[in-house]
Amino acid sequence: MDILNITRANTEWQPDSKNVDINEWFLMGSPAPVLLIMATYWLFVIKVGPSVMSKRSPLTLRNIMAAYNFGQIILAFAIFSKGAAFMWNNGFIQTECIMENIELKHSVTNGVYLYLITKITELLDTVFFILRKKYNQASFLHIYHHSITVLSTWIALKYEPNTNSTLFVGTLNSFVHIIMYTYYALSAYPQLTKYLWWKKYITKLQLVQFAMMIVHLLIEYNVTKCKPSYVIMSIMLFNLVFFLYLFSNFYSKTYKEANVVTNGKTKNVD
């Protein structure tokens, strides 16, 4: 019987001939561990962190952040390389069921699992914002985006490991994150700020990313033999459209409407 109609009998993970069972993997046995991580994250970034930092000076964390960002670049590159190679060899639109081929099943599942781990480690982005007292950057968009990517990836991996669109989403998102975390790593050093004129183009790239994901999801849903459940499909489609709206609004307010004062003159950043 399906759990809240999230799973289907032909898609739920089952141990295979290689005795691989994702339910035995770290964080995958039950939703409790990942929910505990998210609850701790929300409590810290919304309440505890700002309260602790209210009477303290912002932390610099320059070297720690540089190391963290370069680590994220390496992880994102590993996922992108793996996903791009898979799609190059097997097609960008998956019409067949990945779960029917044990080798492909393990390859994709390991990739999505690594993607999940990176989504969890990326929660540190917000922690660093709080410790540096960059509260404006810990916005609703930022917290919601980080939270839903962890939860939706966990649900898809746990209950529908052959949701083919997860492969495309993870690969494309990892490519964007290579560029994004490169920017973050360099921006940790003030002397490099003058070379980071391309910040707004990262947001443009993110908008293109969400649009491509929506198109790919709709196309693949209509051609694949292994359609995701309506719950997973609805979660993915709703959040991609919502992200497109939120990031478009952010871009408009930050780069089209906002003015900056340069040398005593008002200059439009766009």
Side-chain angles (χ1 to χ4, degrees), residues 25 42 64 69 85 103 128 176 190 204 213 229 237 252:
W25 293 7
W42 293 324
I64 292 176
N69 289 320
E103 295 302 324
F128 291 143
V176 173
K204 285 186 175 181
M213 288 175 178
S229 67
L237 190 57
S252 179

Side-chain angles (χ1 to χ4, degrees), residues 70-141:
F70 280 118
Q72 291 295 341
I73 294 169
I74 293 171
L75 289 173
F77 184 79
I79 297 171
F80 170 72
S81 299
K82 185 180 181 69
F86 181 93
M87 289 188 290
W88 180 264
N89 293 322
N90 298 281
F92 288 87
I93 301 294
Q94 303 298 315
T95 58
E96 302 299 323
C97 297
I98 293 174
M99 290 288 281
E100 294 178 353
N101 184 308
I102 291 180
E103 295 302 324
L104 295 184
K105 165 185 168 182
H106 289 163
S107 177
V108 172
T109 303
N110 287 330
V112 176
Y113 181 71
L114 179 58
Y115 181 71
L116 171 64
I117 297 302
T118 65
K119 296 301 106 179
I120 292 174
T121 60
E122 285 170 12
L123 297 177
L124 288 174
D125 288 359
T126 326
V127 174
F128 291 143
F129 286 154
I130 299 301
L131 295 178
R132 296 167 62 213
K133 303 185 78 168
K134 303 283 186 179
Y135 300 135
N136 63 310
Q137 293 181 287
S139 61
F140 168 77
L141 183 158

